[in-house]
mmCIF file of all heavy atoms in Angstrom:
data_model
loop_
_atom_site.group_PDB
_atom_site.id
_atom_site.type_symbol
_atom_site.label_atom_id
_atom_site.label_comp_id
_atom_site.label_asym_id
_atom_site.label_seq_id
_atom_site.Cartn_x
_atom_site.Cartn_y
_atom_site.Cartn_z
ATOM 1 N N LYS A 1 13.350 119.972 114.941
ATOM 2 C CA LYS A 1 13.417 120.156 113.490
ATOM 3 C C LYS A 1 12.027 120.390 112.918
ATOM 4 O O LYS A 1 11.840 121.236 112.028
ATOM 5 C CB LYS A 1 14.063 118.944 112.833
ATOM 6 C CG LYS A 1 14.252 119.095 111.328
ATOM 7 C CD LYS A 1 14.972 117.887 110.729
ATOM 8 C CE LYS A 1 15.148 118.044 109.228
ATOM 9 N NZ LYS A 1 15.850 116.876 108.628
ATOM 10 N N LYS A 2 11.030 119.654 113.419
ATOM 11 C CA LYS A 2 9.645 119.830 112.952
ATOM 12 C C LYS A 2 9.163 121.241 113.273
ATOM 13 O O LYS A 2 8.464 121.879 112.473
ATOM 14 C CB LYS A 2 8.737 118.805 113.620
ATOM 15 C CG LYS A 2 9.120 117.353 113.375
ATOM 16 C CD LYS A 2 8.745 116.901 111.979
ATOM 17 C CE LYS A 2 9.014 115.407 111.804
ATOM 18 N NZ LYS A 2 8.547 114.897 110.511
ATOM 19 N N SER A 3 9.534 121.726 114.455
ATOM 20 C CA SER A 3 9.146 123.076 114.866
ATOM 21 C C SER A 3 9.742 124.125 113.937
ATOM 22 O O SER A 3 9.072 125.075 113.520
ATOM 23 C CB SER A 3 9.602 123.331 116.307
ATOM 24 O OG SER A 3 9.369 124.667 116.690
ATOM 25 N N LYS A 4 11.013 123.946 113.574
ATOM 26 C CA LYS A 4 11.676 124.906 112.692
ATOM 27 C C LYS A 4 11.039 124.915 111.308
ATOM 28 O O LYS A 4 10.865 125.984 110.699
ATOM 29 C CB LYS A 4 13.167 124.577 112.609
ATOM 30 C CG LYS A 4 13.927 124.848 113.902
ATOM 31 C CD LYS A 4 15.408 124.525 113.762
ATOM 32 C CE LYS A 4 16.155 124.853 115.056
ATOM 33 N NZ LYS A 4 17.614 124.558 114.960
ATOM 34 N N VAL A 5 10.706 123.731 110.802
ATOM 35 C CA VAL A 5 10.054 123.652 109.494
ATOM 36 C C VAL A 5 8.703 124.346 109.537
ATOM 37 O O VAL A 5 8.327 125.087 108.621
ATOM 38 C CB VAL A 5 9.901 122.180 109.053
ATOM 39 C CG1 VAL A 5 9.024 122.087 107.807
ATOM 40 C CG2 VAL A 5 11.260 121.551 108.791
ATOM 41 N N TRP A 6 7.958 124.128 110.628
ATOM 42 C CA TRP A 6 6.640 124.757 110.784
ATOM 43 C C TRP A 6 6.787 126.278 110.813
ATOM 44 O O TRP A 6 6.070 127.001 110.118
ATOM 45 C CB TRP A 6 5.989 124.255 112.062
ATOM 46 C CG TRP A 6 4.505 124.492 112.137
ATOM 47 C CD1 TRP A 6 3.717 125.085 111.191
ATOM 48 C CD2 TRP A 6 3.627 124.129 113.206
ATOM 49 N NE1 TRP A 6 2.401 125.114 111.607
ATOM 50 C CE2 TRP A 6 2.328 124.530 112.833
ATOM 51 C CE3 TRP A 6 3.836 123.496 114.430
ATOM 52 C CZ2 TRP A 6 1.226 124.328 113.667
ATOM 53 C CZ3 TRP A 6 2.739 123.292 115.257
ATOM 54 C CH2 TRP A 6 1.451 123.703 114.877
ATOM 55 N N ASN A 7 7.737 126.780 111.594
ATOM 56 C CA ASN A 7 7.954 128.224 111.651
ATOM 57 C C ASN A 7 8.370 128.786 110.303
ATOM 58 O O ASN A 7 7.989 129.903 109.935
ATOM 59 C CB ASN A 7 9.014 128.555 112.704
ATOM 60 C CG ASN A 7 8.443 128.657 114.101
ATOM 61 O OD1 ASN A 7 7.271 128.968 114.283
ATOM 62 N ND2 ASN A 7 9.278 128.403 115.103
ATOM 63 N N THR A 8 9.155 128.017 109.557
ATOM 64 C CA THR A 8 9.581 128.459 108.234
ATOM 65 C C THR A 8 8.385 128.595 107.298
ATOM 66 O O THR A 8 8.272 129.580 106.547
ATOM 67 C CB THR A 8 10.600 127.471 107.633
ATOM 68 O OG1 THR A 8 11.745 127.399 108.482
ATOM 69 C CG2 THR A 8 11.035 127.908 106.240
ATOM 70 N N ARG A 9 7.485 127.642 107.349
ATOM 71 C CA ARG A 9 6.302 127.695 106.482
ATOM 72 C C ARG A 9 5.384 128.845 106.897
ATOM 73 O O ARG A 9 4.771 129.504 106.047
ATOM 74 C CB ARG A 9 5.565 126.359 106.538
ATOM 75 C CG ARG A 9 6.402 125.187 106.030
ATOM 76 C CD ARG A 9 5.581 123.946 105.808
ATOM 77 N NE ARG A 9 4.603 124.144 104.738
ATOM 78 C CZ ARG A 9 3.686 123.239 104.398
ATOM 79 N NH1 ARG A 9 3.663 122.072 105.041
ATOM 80 N NH2 ARG A 9 2.831 123.476 103.428
ATOM 81 N N ILE A 10 5.287 129.084 108.196
ATOM 82 C CA ILE A 10 4.492 130.219 108.674
ATOM 83 C C ILE A 10 5.132 131.530 108.235
ATOM 84 O O ILE A 10 4.443 132.467 107.814
ATOM 85 C CB ILE A 10 4.348 130.171 110.207
ATOM 86 C CG1 ILE A 10 3.463 128.991 110.611
ATOM 87 C CG2 ILE A 10 3.767 131.473 110.748
ATOM 88 C CD1 ILE A 10 3.395 128.741 112.104
ATOM 89 N N ASN A 11 6.457 131.591 108.286
ATOM 90 C CA ASN A 11 7.173 132.789 107.843
ATOM 91 C C ASN A 11 6.932 133.050 106.361
ATOM 92 O O ASN A 11 6.776 134.207 105.932
ATOM 93 C CB ASN A 11 8.664 132.622 108.114
ATOM 94 C CG ASN A 11 9.458 133.867 107.796
ATOM 95 O OD1 ASN A 11 9.214 134.945 108.347
ATOM 96 N ND2 ASN A 11 10.428 133.745 106.899
ATOM 97 N N ASP A 12 6.884 131.984 105.570
ATOM 98 C CA ASP A 12 6.586 132.139 104.139
ATOM 99 C C ASP A 12 5.192 132.723 103.942
ATOM 100 O O ASP A 12 4.980 133.555 103.051
ATOM 101 C CB ASP A 12 6.678 130.780 103.434
ATOM 102 C CG ASP A 12 8.111 130.273 103.326
ATOM 103 O OD1 ASP A 12 9.038 131.086 103.460
ATOM 104 O OD2 ASP A 12 8.298 129.050 103.132
ATOM 105 N N GLU A 13 4.239 132.285 104.760
ATOM 106 C CA GLU A 13 2.879 132.825 104.678
ATOM 107 C C GLU A 13 2.861 134.303 105.061
ATOM 108 O O GLU A 13 2.172 135.119 104.444
ATOM 109 C CB GLU A 13 1.943 132.045 105.597
ATOM 110 C CG GLU A 13 1.611 130.647 105.124
ATOM 111 C CD GLU A 13 0.734 130.641 103.890
ATOM 112 O OE1 GLU A 13 -0.074 131.570 103.733
ATOM 113 O OE2 GLU A 13 0.856 129.705 103.079
ATOM 114 N N GLU A 14 3.619 134.641 106.104
ATOM 115 C CA GLU A 14 3.655 136.034 106.558
ATOM 116 C C GLU A 14 4.254 136.951 105.496
ATOM 117 O O GLU A 14 3.848 138.108 105.361
ATOM 118 C CB GLU A 14 4.443 136.129 107.866
ATOM 119 C CG GLU A 14 3.709 135.493 109.050
ATOM 120 C CD GLU A 14 4.513 135.549 110.337
ATOM 121 O OE1 GLU A 14 5.751 135.414 110.260
ATOM 122 O OE2 GLU A 14 3.897 135.726 111.404
ATOM 123 N N LYS A 15 5.203 136.449 104.730
ATOM 124 C CA LYS A 15 5.801 137.239 103.645
ATOM 125 C C LYS A 15 4.769 137.567 102.577
ATOM 126 O O LYS A 15 4.907 138.548 101.841
ATOM 127 C CB LYS A 15 6.975 136.478 103.024
ATOM 128 C CG LYS A 15 8.197 136.386 103.917
ATOM 129 C CD LYS A 15 9.301 135.571 103.255
ATOM 130 C CE LYS A 15 10.524 135.476 104.143
ATOM 131 N NZ LYS A 15 11.601 134.648 103.533
ATOM 132 N N GLN A 16 3.724 136.733 102.496
ATOM 133 C CA GLN A 16 2.656 136.966 101.526
ATOM 134 C C GLN A 16 1.505 137.770 102.129
ATOM 135 O O GLN A 16 0.469 137.954 101.495
ATOM 136 C CB GLN A 16 2.137 135.624 101.017
ATOM 137 C CG GLN A 16 3.207 134.783 100.319
ATOM 138 C CD GLN A 16 2.689 133.423 99.898
ATOM 139 O OE1 GLN A 16 1.595 133.291 99.365
ATOM 140 N NE2 GLN A 16 3.480 132.385 100.145
ATOM 141 N N GLY A 17 1.685 138.218 103.381
ATOM 142 C CA GLY A 17 0.672 139.047 104.011
ATOM 143 C C GLY A 17 -0.323 138.294 104.868
ATOM 144 O O GLY A 17 -1.294 138.882 105.350
ATOM 145 N N ASN A 18 -0.114 136.999 105.067
ATOM 146 C CA ASN A 18 -1.038 136.205 105.877
ATOM 147 C C ASN A 18 -0.433 136.002 107.269
ATOM 148 O O ASN A 18 0.630 135.396 107.401
ATOM 149 C CB ASN A 18 -1.288 134.850 105.206
ATOM 150 C CG ASN A 18 -2.473 134.123 105.820
ATOM 151 O OD1 ASN A 18 -3.381 134.734 106.369
ATOM 152 N ND2 ASN A 18 -2.471 132.802 105.713
ATOM 153 N N PRO A 19 -1.091 136.496 108.329
ATOM 154 C CA PRO A 19 -0.538 136.405 109.679
ATOM 155 C C PRO A 19 -0.352 134.961 110.158
ATOM 156 O O PRO A 19 -0.880 134.018 109.560
ATOM 157 C CB PRO A 19 -1.586 137.124 110.545
ATOM 158 C CG PRO A 19 -2.334 137.991 109.607
ATOM 159 C CD PRO A 19 -2.354 137.241 108.311
ATOM 160 N N ARG A 20 0.380 134.815 111.236
ATOM 161 C CA ARG A 20 0.671 133.501 111.805
ATOM 162 C C ARG A 20 -0.604 132.703 112.023
ATOM 163 O O ARG A 20 -0.659 131.506 111.757
ATOM 164 C CB ARG A 20 1.427 133.673 113.130
ATOM 165 C CG ARG A 20 1.865 132.360 113.749
ATOM 166 C CD ARG A 20 2.688 132.545 115.010
ATOM 167 N NE ARG A 20 3.320 131.295 115.356
ATOM 168 C CZ ARG A 20 4.525 130.911 114.955
ATOM 169 N NH1 ARG A 20 5.251 131.704 114.193
ATOM 170 N NH2 ARG A 20 5.018 129.735 115.301
ATOM 171 N N PHE A 21 -1.636 133.378 112.524
ATOM 172 C CA PHE A 21 -2.869 132.657 112.838
ATOM 173 C C PHE A 21 -3.888 132.717 111.699
ATOM 174 O O PHE A 21 -5.094 132.622 111.919
ATOM 175 C CB PHE A 21 -3.498 133.179 114.139
ATOM 176 C CG PHE A 21 -3.296 134.657 114.385
ATOM 177 C CD1 PHE A 21 -4.120 135.599 113.802
ATOM 178 C CD2 PHE A 21 -2.262 135.087 115.193
ATOM 179 C CE1 PHE A 21 -3.927 136.939 114.026
ATOM 180 C CE2 PHE A 21 -2.066 136.443 115.434
ATOM 181 C CZ PHE A 21 -2.900 137.377 114.847
ATOM 182 N N GLY A 22 -3.395 132.856 110.469
ATOM 183 C CA GLY A 22 -4.275 132.895 109.310
ATOM 184 C C GLY A 22 -4.343 131.595 108.546
ATOM 185 O O GLY A 22 -4.903 131.547 107.445
ATOM 186 N N CYS A 23 -3.768 130.525 109.110
ATOM 187 C CA CYS A 23 -3.750 129.230 108.418
ATOM 188 C C CYS A 23 -4.306 128.120 109.297
ATOM 189 O O CYS A 23 -4.145 128.139 110.518
ATOM 190 C CB CYS A 23 -2.327 128.846 108.020
ATOM 191 S SG CYS A 23 -1.596 129.893 106.741
ATOM 192 N N VAL A 24 -4.932 127.149 108.659
ATOM 193 C CA VAL A 24 -5.378 125.931 109.339
ATOM 194 C C VAL A 24 -4.386 124.833 108.989
ATOM 195 O O VAL A 24 -4.077 124.609 107.813
ATOM 196 C CB VAL A 24 -6.793 125.519 108.891
ATOM 197 C CG1 VAL A 24 -7.192 124.192 109.538
ATOM 198 C CG2 VAL A 24 -7.803 126.610 109.243
ATOM 199 N N TRP A 25 -3.883 124.154 110.027
ATOM 200 C CA TRP A 25 -2.903 123.086 109.854
ATOM 201 C C TRP A 25 -3.462 121.780 110.384
ATOM 202 O O TRP A 25 -4.247 121.771 111.330
ATOM 203 C CB TRP A 25 -1.610 123.414 110.605
ATOM 204 C CG TRP A 25 -1.005 124.728 110.268
ATOM 205 C CD1 TRP A 25 -1.305 125.944 110.808
ATOM 206 C CD2 TRP A 25 0.004 124.974 109.285
ATOM 207 N NE1 TRP A 25 -0.547 126.936 110.241
ATOM 208 C CE2 TRP A 25 0.266 126.371 109.304
ATOM 209 C CE3 TRP A 25 0.716 124.165 108.404
ATOM 210 C CZ2 TRP A 25 1.223 126.964 108.468
ATOM 211 C CZ3 TRP A 25 1.660 124.752 107.582
ATOM 212 C CH2 TRP A 25 1.907 126.132 107.612
ATOM 213 N N GLN A 26 -3.047 120.688 109.779
ATOM 214 C CA GLN A 26 -3.363 119.374 110.329
ATOM 215 C C GLN A 26 -2.132 118.876 111.080
ATOM 216 O O GLN A 26 -1.045 118.778 110.520
ATOM 217 C CB GLN A 26 -3.744 118.369 109.243
ATOM 218 C CG GLN A 26 -4.133 117.004 109.824
ATOM 219 C CD GLN A 26 -4.690 116.055 108.769
ATOM 220 O OE1 GLN A 26 -4.431 116.230 107.580
ATOM 221 N NE2 GLN A 26 -5.455 115.078 109.195
ATOM 222 N N LEU A 27 -2.343 118.610 112.368
ATOM 223 C CA LEU A 27 -1.276 118.071 113.205
ATOM 224 C C LEU A 27 -1.455 116.566 113.268
ATOM 225 O O LEU A 27 -2.404 116.063 113.871
ATOM 226 C CB LEU A 27 -1.357 118.685 114.608
ATOM 227 C CG LEU A 27 -0.272 118.258 115.602
ATOM 228 C CD1 LEU A 27 1.098 118.737 115.144
ATOM 229 C CD2 LEU A 27 -0.590 118.789 116.998
ATOM 230 N N GLY A 28 -0.550 115.846 112.616
ATOM 231 C CA GLY A 28 -0.635 114.404 112.579
ATOM 232 C C GLY A 28 0.574 113.759 113.223
ATOM 233 O O GLY A 28 1.381 114.428 113.885
ATOM 234 N N VAL A 29 0.714 112.465 113.034
ATOM 235 C CA VAL A 29 1.786 111.694 113.671
ATOM 236 C C VAL A 29 2.432 110.777 112.637
ATOM 237 O O VAL A 29 1.738 110.171 111.810
ATOM 238 C CB VAL A 29 1.238 110.847 114.843
ATOM 239 C CG1 VAL A 29 2.362 110.024 115.478
ATOM 240 C CG2 VAL A 29 0.566 111.740 115.880
ATOM 241 N N VAL A 30 3.766 110.687 112.676
ATOM 242 C CA VAL A 30 4.502 109.769 111.809
ATOM 243 C C VAL A 30 5.473 108.946 112.661
ATOM 244 O O VAL A 30 5.873 109.362 113.744
ATOM 245 C CB VAL A 30 5.294 110.519 110.713
ATOM 246 C CG1 VAL A 30 4.358 111.161 109.717
ATOM 247 C CG2 VAL A 30 6.225 111.553 111.337
ATOM 248 N N SER A 31 5.805 107.774 112.164
ATOM 249 C CA SER A 31 6.776 106.911 112.838
ATOM 250 C C SER A 31 8.159 107.179 112.254
ATOM 251 O O SER A 31 8.329 107.226 111.030
ATOM 252 C CB SER A 31 6.398 105.441 112.644
ATOM 253 O OG SER A 31 7.364 104.595 113.239
ATOM 254 N N GLU A 32 9.142 107.377 113.121
ATOM 255 C CA GLU A 32 10.513 107.635 112.692
ATOM 256 C C GLU A 32 11.480 106.780 113.513
ATOM 257 O O GLU A 32 11.063 106.095 114.459
ATOM 258 C CB GLU A 32 10.851 109.126 112.846
ATOM 259 C CG GLU A 32 9.996 110.035 111.974
ATOM 260 C CD GLU A 32 10.342 111.502 112.096
ATOM 261 O OE1 GLU A 32 11.052 111.858 113.062
ATOM 262 O OE2 GLU A 32 9.913 112.283 111.236
ATOM 263 N N SER A 33 12.743 106.834 113.158
ATOM 264 C CA SER A 33 13.735 106.070 113.916
ATOM 265 C C SER A 33 15.075 106.783 113.882
ATOM 266 O O SER A 33 15.362 107.580 112.977
ATOM 267 C CB SER A 33 13.876 104.656 113.345
ATOM 268 O OG SER A 33 14.356 104.698 112.014
ATOM 269 N N ASN A 34 15.897 106.496 114.888
ATOM 270 C CA ASN A 34 17.273 106.972 114.929
ATOM 271 C C ASN A 34 18.117 105.898 115.609
ATOM 272 O O ASN A 34 17.655 104.763 115.766
ATOM 273 C CB ASN A 34 17.383 108.330 115.633
ATOM 274 C CG ASN A 34 16.819 108.296 117.048
ATOM 275 O OD1 ASN A 34 16.705 107.231 117.663
ATOM 276 N ND2 ASN A 34 16.474 109.466 117.563
#
């Protein structure tokens, strides 16, 4: 799910003319449960 959200945000950037590798992202960690 995190991967899909990331790709979606990258796709939004690409729609504005900014390539996939045109953004700097912070890769962090969160605690979750199921």
Side-chain angles (χ1 to χ4, degrees):
K1 184 177 180 180
K2 301 285 186 175
S3 174
K4 291 181 178 180
V5 171
W6 197 1
N7 276 333
T8 300
R9 298 193 65 185
I10 291 173
N11 185 58
D12 289 341
E13 288 291 329
E14 290 178 324
K15 289 178 180 178
Q16 299 177 44
N18 193 26
R20 184 176 193 91
F21 33 83
C23 292
V24 176
W25 306 85
Q26 182 172 22
L27 182 65
V29 179
V30 292
S31 177
E32 297 181 345
S33 63
N34 57 21

